[in-house]
Amino acid sequence: MAVTIKDVAQAAGVSASTVSRVLNNKGVISEETRKRIWDTMKELEYVPNDVARSFANGSARAFALVIDVVDVRAYANNFFNNTVFGIETAAHENGYNLMITNEKSVEDEISPVQKLVLGKKIDGIVIPISMADESLLEKLNDLGFPSVILGHLDEGRTETSWVDINNTQGGALAVRHLIKKGYRNIAFLYGNDKEQFNQDRLTGFSRGVSAGGMDVKQELICHGLSGVEDSRECVLGLLRQEDRPDAVVCGDDRLALGALRAAKAAGVAVPRDFGIVSFDNTPLTELADIPITSLDVDTFELGRQAAEILIQQIEEPETSFRQVLLSTKIIGRASTERESEEE
Amino acid sequence: MAVTIKDVAQAAGVSASTVSRVLNNKGVISEETRKRIWDTMKELEYVPNDVARSFANGSARAFALVIDVVDVRAYANNFFNNTVFGIETAAHENGYNLMITNEKSVEDEISPVQKLVLGKKIDGIVIPISMADESLLEKLNDLGFPSVILGHLDEGRTETSWVDINNTQGGALAVRHLIKKGYRNIAFLYGNDKEQFNQDRLTGFSRGVSAGGMDVKQELICHGLSGVEDSRECVLGLLRQEDRPDAVVCGDDRLALGALRAAKAAGVAVPRDFGIVSFDNTPLTELADIPITSLDVDTFELGRQAAEILIQQIEEPETSFRQVLLSTKIIGRASTERESEEE
DNA sequence: ATGAAAGCGCTAACAT
DNA sequence: ATGTTAGCGCTTTCAT
């Protein structure tokens, strides 16, 4: 059997409670016995039974990240990877373990998250916005259970903590970059217009256009696009218009790729006569025929911040909720690399 | 406070042990009391305290997946995502939780994995081959601690369980596909020749070439390549040779992209005069200018199998070790889509 | 500054 | 078929 706190106590000639106090840096212990106990622990290669500790003090020293097994596609682009790594890193640094759980309730059974929470296996939870049902959030809130959301619904909500990419800033930055490069008639392509992040990007885009002293033209804004082919057709259409755009901001890498192909098909030179910027900075943009300028966001940092906020909520339950937006930065590539027409 | 087993026992007019027996389907309980106890549990919304259960019976009902935070790049291509999802799915189906942990020992501290193992927080562990130190494996083996490796070193080792992609089969399959399409002089490009998976792919490639009745030509085998540019230069060189290849098998998507660009630069038509096959079937191959034929492997299934083997080892410790190789399949795309010259 | 003892919620012998 | 009891390893109050 494994060596227990009693073994250590006995070997060091003290009581178990004293060993416990040393282990937890609690109470007042004479420097001498403290050292003796540490030495004994080393010598016996004592490793505390964390399950017993959790049981005794009611805290698991762990939290969970909910994943969406159904929508695997949502986790392409390394978003998931880096974010998980960021979460794990922060968790580890603070002595927490990270669990991964899906939230697919099996018929008639309690949901996985509820089971973890009520089964005391976790002290907090990270929930991607796609998994954040109103009902789940409400339950957690009722329990006063620490949680943080990856993504957000609306900035008005302050009764919950979340971290997200600053998509509004990103949209504006994309436009600013294009304007600096001398583009003047900028289109915006994106997918599902119900998604908050797309709405934010559009908002940012529009602000950027206005800030640049230009009009936002509805006919240059296309949504509901999914994938390269959709985008290609859409951009081909735009390029045939009388008032054709000289640049486009794309909601994701595939749309950008489609735009690039459309330009090629239409015989429009990139970047000279047509600039392209995309969100997400995936390998697809970096490795495109003409490398595509992209908005990058530190998804590792996103995860880390989420974890740190969560840990703070766990350890200081009185802390107020916090919301964090991470700025994007522009990775300039060939698709916008023409001489500026400014000044 | 939460409702406990005692509350249920009291409300149902039985002892705690009877409730426990119902909960665990152990012993013999009259149908009547069983039903009454289930009803009471529902009524009181009883959720067992899993930590207490783990503590009492010494099993955490959880296992861990080790990740390599340092080498984030290794987890590109969605490999990591899908595999994690597969592991989680199997874990969940069997009532286990999944933990994620890195294995970066902090100075002077016990390693994260050891802490989990000795702290009784997990009953088993999944280790990617890149993280599988000889010393770690040895420690786990000494403890008789259930573990399974993602990937493998050599097939001779049977004192450990692992699951892996059948890279040898994949290499041979790639060649067979090319031969069927009429290609006759096939090159092989890959990265680090120290990696077992690359060695296996090369072995498969060579077997495929031999099986096709052709000679394996050393001058058509290039290793140490990393990235598009490396590959492009290498293939340009090959295409300038007297005995130039009419097809290439690439160890990853980027090398394939490089090969495609080289062919274009050299004015060699793909697929007519030059066929390209790559491993991994990432978006990069699917969305290339000329979509690239690729070897696909079900990484979700890889994770699922790993988890199932692990769970079996946990629940039936006497089980012998198991090794599983998952076959790849070929996803035919334009890069090899020419009329067969066979028959 | 340290020890004794109770108890966290559940399981598993042992009784009956 | 069900109840009683001890105990899993640790923390924590209460003594001293």
Side-chain angles (χ1 to χ4, degrees):
Chain A
M1 271 274 60
V3 21
T4 74
I5 203 172
K6 276 189 186 172
D7 300 324
V8 176
Q10 197 160 21
V14 294
S15 74
S17 25
T18 305
V19 178
S20 172
R21 280 187 273 253
V22 169
L23 210 54
N24 298 287
N25 273 313
K26 277 186 181 165
V28 210
I29 307 280
S30 79
E31 206 38 62
E32 187 214 318
T33 48
R34 179 189 305 281
K35 186 181 177 331
R36 182 154 41 88
I37 288 172
W38 273 119
D39 290 347
T40 314
M41 296 198 301
K42 288 262 181 253
E43 196 180 311
L44 300 186
E45 296 183 346
Y46 169 66
V47 180
N49 180 329
D50 282 327
V51 175
R53 296 179 85 172
S54 295
F55 176 52
N57 66 23
S59 140
R61 279 260 145 196
F63 57 82
L65 167 67
V66 179
I67 59 174
D68 185 353
V69 178
V70 178
D71 186 14
V72 174
R73 270 298 306 279
Y75 298 99
N77 307 344
N78 281 27
F79 164 78
F80 182 67
N81 299 352
N82 287 323
T83 305
V84 171
F85 293 161
I87 295 174
E88 203 283 334
T89 299
H92 190 99
E93 286 171 358
N94 291 277
Y96 285 79
N97 287 121
L98 174 63
M99 286 192 146
I100 297 280
T101 182
N102 72 334
E103 179 60 338
K104 193 176 47 191
S105 291
V106 182
E107 169 103 31
D108 181 72
E109 285 209 349
I110 184 175
S111 96
V113 167
Q114 279 193 65
K115 192 160 189 313
L116 285 172
V117 171
L118 301 174
K120 316 271 191 203
K121 280 192 141 184
I122 55 174
D123 310 320
I125 194 160
V126 180
I127 311 172
I129 186 73
S130 64
M131 297 276 88
D133 290 356
E134 206 54 61
S135 73
L136 176 61
L137 295 185
E138 202 174 316
K139 265 177 201 151
L140 295 174
N141 233 333
D142 289 352
L143 291 169
F145 193 79
S147 61
V148 51
I149 298 176
L150 292 175
H152 74 287
L153 285 172
D154 50 280
E155 304 194 18
R157 281 170 84 103
T158 49
E159 75 281 19
T160 177
S161 286
W162 49 258
V163 300
D164 200 358
I165 296 164
N166 194 337
N167 286 299
T168 312
Q169 174 262 351
L173 180 58
V175 173
R176 184 138 51 90
H177 173 83
L178 286 167
I179 291 177
K180 207 164 71 187
K181 295 294 178 181
Y183 299 100
R184 285 290 172 271
N185 203 28
I186 307 172
F188 184 56
L189 266 53
Y190 64 110
N192 185 346
D193 66 343
K194 297 286 178 294
E195 297 281 8
Q196 180 67 40
F197 64 84
N198 277 329
Q199 293 178 25
D200 290 344
R201 289 169 181 190
L202 177 56
T203 302
F205 170 84
S206 303
R207 283 189 200 153
V209 171
S210 302
M214 294 165 310
D215 290 334
V216 177
K217 302 177 186 166
Q218 287 308 318
E219 64 274 21
L220 293 186
I221 296 175
C222 310
H223 65 82
L225 304 173
S226 73
V228 177
E229 201 41 43
D230 257 20
S231 167
R232 204 183 73 98
E233 281 172 27
C234 171
V235 173
L236 269 178
L238 290 176
L239 290 176
R240 272 196 292 263
Q241 285 183 14
E242 188 71 23
D243 177 36
R244 80 178 202 200
D246 63 356
V248 65
V249 176
C250 300
D252 70 51
D253 51 358
R254 283 152 206 251
L255 301 186
L257 206 55
L260 182 57
R261 293 197 180 154
K264 205 170 281 186
V268 173
V270 174
R272 203 192 59 197
D273 300 322
F274 193 62
I276 304 176
V277 177
S278 91
F279 277 84
D280 295 350
N281 190 29
T282 69
L284 231 41
T285 58
E286 184 188 351
L287 298 175
D289 247 24
I290 295 177
I292 297 168
T293 295
S294 199
L295 290 160
D296 186 70
V297 61
D298 190 342
T299 47
F300 182 93
E301 186 61 22
L302 190 78
R304 160 172 245 140
Q305 296 247 5
E308 279 171 1
I309 290 175
L310 184 59
I311 290 167
Q312 189 177 8
Q313 303 229 355
I314 292 169
E315 301 187 344
E316 294 158 41
E318 302 314 313
T319 312
S320 55
F321 296 114
R322 274 165 59 198
Q323 294 82 31
V324 171
L325 283 175
L326 265 64
S327 291
T328 61
K329 62 176 195 289
I330 198 123
I331 309 292
R333 299 211 179 90
S335 71
T336 58
E337 219 29 74
R338 72 175 184 186
E339 290 312 304
S340 164
E341 293 179 4
E342 298 261 324
E343 88 239 36
Chain B
M1 269 275 58
V3 21
T4 74
I5 202 171
K6 275 189 185 169
D7 300 324
V8 176
Q10 197 159 20
V14 294
S15 75
S17 30
T18 303
V19 178
S20 172
R21 279 188 275 256
V22 169
L23 209 55
N24 297 287
N25 273 313
K26 278 186 181 164
V28 209
I29 308 277
S30 78
E31 206 37 63
E32 186 215 319
T33 46
R34 177 189 306 280
K35 187 182 178 329
R36 180 156 39 91
I37 289 172
W38 274 119
D39 290 348
T40 316
M41 294 197 304
K42 288 261 181 256
E43 196 180 312
L44 301 186
E45 296 185 345
Y46 169 66
V47 179
N49 181 329
D50 282 327
V51 174
R53 296 177 86 173
S54 295
F55 176 52
N57 66 23
S59 140
R61 280 261 145 194
F63 57 82
L65 167 66
V66 179
I67 59 174
D68 186 353
V69 178
V70 178
D71 186 14
V72 174
R73 271 297 305 280
Y75 297 97
N77 308 342
N78 281 28
F79 165 79
F80 181 67
N81 299 352
N82 287 323
T83 304
V84 171
F85 293 161
I87 294 174
E88 204 283 334
T89 300
H92 190 97
E93 286 170 358
N94 290 276
Y96 284 79
N97 289 120
L98 174 62
M99 287 193 145
I100 297 279
T101 180
N102 73 335
E103 179 59 340
K104 193 176 46 187
S105 292
V106 183
E107 171 103 32
D108 180 71
E109 283 209 350
I110 187 173
S111 96
V113 168
Q114 279 194 66
K115 193 162 188 312
L116 286 172
V117 171
L118 301 174
K120 316 273 192 204
K121 281 194 142 182
I122 55 174
D123 310 320
I125 192 160
V126 181
I127 312 173
I129 186 71
S130 64
M131 295 278 87
D133 290 355
E134 207 53 62
S135 73
L136 176 61
L137 296 184
E138 202 173 316
K139 267 177 199 149
L140 295 173
N141 233 333
D142 289 351
L143 291 170
F145 193 79
S147 61
V148 51
I149 298 176
L150 292 175
H152 75 288
L153 283 170
D154 48 281
E155 303 194 16
R157 281 171 84 106
T158 51
E159 74 281 20
T160 178
S161 287
W162 49 258
V163 301
D164 201 357
I165 296 164
N166 194 337
N167 287 300
T168 313
Q169 175 263 351
L173 180 59
V175 173
R176 183 139 52 89
H177 173 82
L178 285 168
I179 290 176
K180 206 164 76 190
K181 295 293 179 183
Y183 299 100
R184 284 292 172 269
N185 203 28
I186 307 171
F188 184 57
L189 266 52
Y190 63 110
N192 185 347
D193 66 343
K194 297 285 178 292
E195 298 279 10
Q196 180 68 39
F197 64 84
N198 277 329
Q199 292 178 24
D200 291 345
R201 288 168 182 191
L202 177 56
T203 301
F205 170 83
S206 303
R207 282 189 200 154
V209 171
S210 301
M214 295 166 308
D215 291 334
V216 176
K217 300 176 187 164
Q218 289 308 318
E219 64 274 21
L220 293 185
I221 297 175
C222 309
H223 65 81
L225 305 172
S226 73
V228 176
E229 201 41 45
D230 257 19
S231 167
R232 203 181 74 97
E233 282 173 26
C234 171
V235 173
L236 269 179
L238 289 176
L239 291 176
R240 272 196 292 262
Q241 283 183 17
E242 189 69 23
D243 177 39
R244 80 177 203 201
D246 64 355
V248 64
V249 177
C250 300
D252 71 50
D253 52 355
R254 283 153 205 248
L255 301 187
L257 207 53
L260 182 57
R261 293 196 181 156
K264 205 169 278 184
V268 173
V270 174
R272 202 193 60 198
D273 300 323
F274 194 62
I276 304 176
V277 177
S278 90
F279 277 84
D280 296 350
N281 190 29
T282 68
L284 231 40
T285 60
E286 183 188 351
L287 299 175
D289 246 22
I290 296 178
I292 297 168
T293 295
S294 199
L295 291 160
D296 186 71
V297 62
D298 191 340
T299 47
F300 183 93
E301 184 62 21
L302 189 80
R304 161 171 244 140
Q305 296 247 5
E308 278 170 1
I309 290 175
L310 185 59
I311 290 167
Q312 190 177 6
Q313 302 231 356
I314 291 170
E315 299 187 346
E316 295 158 39
E318 302 314 313
T319 312
S320 56
F321 295 114
R322 275 166 57 199
Q323 294 81 34
V324 171
L325 282 175
L326 266 66
S327 290
T328 61
K329 61 176 197 287
I330 198 121
I331 308 294
R333 299 211 179 90
S335 72
T336 58
E337 220 28 75
R338 72 176 184 186
E339 291 313 305
S340 165
E341 294 179 3
E342 298 260 323
E343 82 239 43

